[in-house]
């Protein structure tokens, strides 16, 4: 680069391209003009996807990262654009998803002079990101961008924010940058951490002492690409495998050791009983947070707990831990598997009751699914959510991706959808549960896996918060299928008011929207379904349509449904 003058905006595009970035999701603004001009002029491999607001740009980057394993990148302008993009970074940070947000900023020379859209971006993003920096000069830009990608893809992944001031974008430099980009930092994990050998032995010692162990997997297993290693270890020791909401896809549904989702969102009494009856619980890539453990009551206090996680701060935070491994999930599971033949556990496992783990899983699953066929066959009006899940299950291919909002869709899909393949096929924002996630996430997932059938499952409360992205879907002709659970209320809160506050319903109901008509106004093929017998026909028509489609389903209110939620907040 010696003698070749480049400005900061051009350097940013060059470095993003060098790190393997192929898609950027974002929205234009005054302070972003140099950056957009560089994207327009330069020869690179990046496609910019224009969203309709910054929050959904971040959600798009989040889902894109989850389905590709690459860093998801979003961008927005200063001021309100920076504040709008923040919710997506909060979710990505606490869901351990590598998302880079670039917000342009007013010129450093204007700071403190009351320029339009000025705010302290570093202070704004510091509490909600893994790392963040406003770039102070064009000379420091390459070093800071490389640092950002290292932070994104090493250790526990999360969100990173970079502020790009206007004057840094237009300032030129001729300084050499001998290091350039680090392409290996564009994927997670870029530098996986192996476990301590003593920790491996301690975990196997504890498993050898257990008579009825259970594994609970979080999203970290999928993030690190450890599904095959988990299957090998669980099968070798015949240990039942449960998952958190984010851990769905850890094993295919047909696996004889897969129990399914446990916890207060998507768990059922039968799956909770299996955890409560265990004498040893092994958390893998899971924070053991309030939802997965039903507010730290399942597993019960005093049970032997083992923990494997890339983040040492999660270990021992909620349960006293007998043995722990701080490492990448894939490398940790490989180490456990490789140590099995020479460890006494091999003899102990062989001496245990044959089929113990498989029998425990089969019993729990049989109890869990009792009554489900009756609910699916119910022709009652309004439509039961279980019926919707079953009708979709019958019509979606095995590699389908479902992006679900956290209201009605999340617990019903978590409890009742059978994921035929291991891997990331279910995406929901469980860290903070903000409504309006699914439609934007579906856009990012579709760009990340263009060959896959992508479904956005949303409630009508969430739909109202994300409706603008229907135009984005149409503009890019994305074949996303949207399913709306329409019950004219913020159902989760209403259910909490029913269970914990004497049915004193307050400010939770709103007018019913004709979502099909709204979608049609954007140019999306749409159907409204009020009778259970018509669901299949509408879904089949939507799936056959080669463009985006929406099916609006008038469903049972959440407070009246047999929701797979163990308790509502009282």
């Amino acid at each position: 680069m010696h003698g070749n003058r480049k400005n900061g905006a051009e350097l940013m595009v060059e470095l993003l391209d060098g790190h393997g970035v192929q898609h950027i999701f974002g929205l234009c603004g005054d302070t972003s003009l140099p950056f957009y001009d560089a994207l327009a002029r330069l020869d690179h491999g990046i496609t910019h996807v224009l969203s309709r607001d910054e929050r959904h740009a971040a959600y798009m980057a989040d889902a894109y990262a989850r389905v590709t394993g690459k860093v998801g990148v979003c961008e927005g302008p200063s001021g309100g654009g920076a504040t709008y993009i923040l919710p997506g970074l909060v979710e990505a940070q606490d869901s351990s998803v590598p998302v880079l947000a670039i917000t342009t900023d007013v010129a450093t020379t204007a700071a403190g002079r009351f320029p339009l859209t000025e705010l302290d971006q570093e202070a704004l993003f510091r509490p909600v990101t893994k790392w963040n920096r406003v770039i102070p000069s064009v000379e420091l830009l390459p070093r800071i961008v490389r640092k950002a990608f290292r932070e994104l893809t090493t250790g526990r992944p999360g969100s990173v924010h970079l502020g790009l001031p206007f004057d840094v974008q237009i300032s030129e430099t001729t300084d050499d940058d001998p290091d350039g980009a680090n392409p290996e930092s564009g994927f997670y994990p870029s530098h996986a951490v192996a476990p301590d050998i003593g920790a491996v032995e301690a975990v196997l010692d504890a498993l050898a002492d257990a008579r009825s162990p259970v594994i609970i997997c979080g999203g970290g297993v999928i993030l690190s690409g450890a599904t095959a290693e988990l299957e090998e270890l669980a099968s070798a020791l015949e240990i039942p495998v449960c998952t958190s909401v984010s851990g769905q896809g850890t094993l295919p549904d047909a696996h004889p050791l897969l129990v399914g989702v446990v916890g207060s969102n998507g768990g059922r009494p039968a799956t909770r009983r299996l955890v409560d009856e265990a004498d040893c619980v092994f958390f893998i890539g899971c924070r053991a947070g309030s939802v997965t453990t039903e507010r730290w009551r399942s597993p019960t206090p005093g049970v032997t707990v083992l923990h494997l996680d890339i983040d040492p701060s999660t270990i021992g935070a909620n349960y006293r831990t007998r043995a722990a491994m701080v490492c990448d999930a894939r490398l940790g599971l490989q180490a456990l598997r490789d140590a099995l033949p020479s460890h006494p556990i091999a003899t102990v496992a062989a001496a245990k009751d044959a089929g113990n783990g498989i029998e425990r899983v089969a019993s729990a699953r049989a109890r869990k699914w009792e009554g489900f066929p009756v609910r699916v066959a119910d022709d009652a009006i309004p439509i039961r959510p279980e019926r919707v899940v079953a009708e979709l299950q019958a019509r979606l291919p095995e590699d389908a991706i479902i992006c679900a909002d956290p209201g009605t869709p999340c617990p019903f899909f978590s409890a009742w959808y059978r994921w035929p393949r291991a891997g990331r096929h279910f995406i929901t924002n469980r860290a903070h549960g903000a409504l309006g996630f699914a439609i934007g996430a579906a856009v990012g997932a579709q760009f990340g896996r263009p060959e896959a059938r992508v479904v956005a499952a949303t409630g009508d409360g969430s739909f109202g918060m994300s409706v603008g992205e229907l135009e984005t879907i149409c503009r890019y002709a994305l074949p996303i299928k949207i399913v709306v659970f329409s019950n004219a209320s913020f159902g989760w809160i209403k259910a909490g008011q029913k269970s914990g506050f004497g049915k004193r319903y307050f400010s939770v109901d709103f007018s019913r929207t004709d979502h099909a008509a709204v979608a049609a106004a954007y140019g999306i093929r749409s159907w409204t379904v009020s009778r259970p017998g018509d669901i299949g026909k509408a879904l089949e028509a939507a799936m056959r349509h080669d463009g985006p489609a929406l099916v609006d389903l008038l469903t049972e209110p959440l407070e009246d449904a047999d929701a797979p939620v163990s308790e509502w907040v009282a």
Side-chain angles (χ1 to χ4, degrees), residues 450-522:
E451 76 289 348
R453 166 69 70 220
V454 177
V455 174
T458 184
D460 43 5
S462 292
F463 182 91
M465 300 181 185
S466 52
V467 62
E469 298 307 330
L470 297 186
E471 188 278 327
T472 305
I473 290 172
C474 286
R475 182 170 11 103
Y476 290 100
L478 302 175
I480 293 168
K481 313 307 176 186
I482 303 170
V483 175
V484 183
F485 291 77
S486 182
N487 51 35
S489 71
F490 290 112
W492 196 281
I493 307 306
K494 192 171 184 178
Q497 290 175 342
K498 179 180 180 179
S499 68
F501 295 89
K503 300 184 181 180
R504 291 184 293 276
Y505 301 130
F506 179 78
S507 278
V508 288
D509 297 304
F510 45 80
S511 301
R512 186 175 295 281
T513 299
D514 187 343
H515 301 101
V518 173
Y522 279 98

Side-chain angles (χ1 to χ4, degrees), residues 207 210-215 238-240 278-281 352 356 360:
L207 289 174
R211 299 296 300 180
S212 55
V214 165
I215 291 172
E238 204 171 305
I239 303 177
D279 64 350
C280 176
V281 176
K352 289 182 180 179
N356 177 263
R360 288 158 58 208

Side-chain angles (χ1 to χ4, degrees), residues 86 89-94 124-131 159:
L86 187 144
L89 299 194
V90 174
E91 179 63 37
Q93 172 63 14
D94 284 353
L124 176 69
F125 289 98
R126 186 176 298 119
V128 300
T129 56
K130 182 180 180 183
W131 189 76
S159 60

Side-chain angles (χ1 to χ4, degrees), residues 411-448:
F412 281 97
F413 279 97
S414 295
W416 304 123
Y417 199 88
R418 302 172 185 258
W419 304 103
R421 296 185 182 179
R424 179 73 74 190
H425 297 283
F426 184 68
I427 299 173
T428 189
N429 53 328
R430 281 316 312 150
H432 289 275
L435 299 184
F437 174 82
I439 290 178
V443 173
Q446 192 72 80
F447 274 104

Side-chain angles (χ1 to χ4, degrees), residues 214-217 242-246 248 259-276 283 286 288-299 319 368 410-412 414-415 430 492 563-568:
V214 165
I215 291 172
I216 299 180
C217 291
C242 308
T243 80
S244 69
V245 171
S246 299
Q248 292 178 80
V259 179
V261 171
V262 295
S264 59
N265 191 329
R268 299 297 284 168
T271 58
R272 175 176 181 166
R273 188 185 312 169
L274 188 141
V275 174
D276 289 345
F283 291 104
C286 177
S290 62
V291 173
T292 304
T293 65
E294 306 208 31
R295 287 198 283 172
W296 309 287
R297 294 178 297 187
S298 179
Y319 288 93
K368 170 185 172 179
C410 180
F412 281 97
S414 295
R430 281 316 312 150
W492 196 281
V565 179
S566 62
E567 62 179 356
W568 303 102

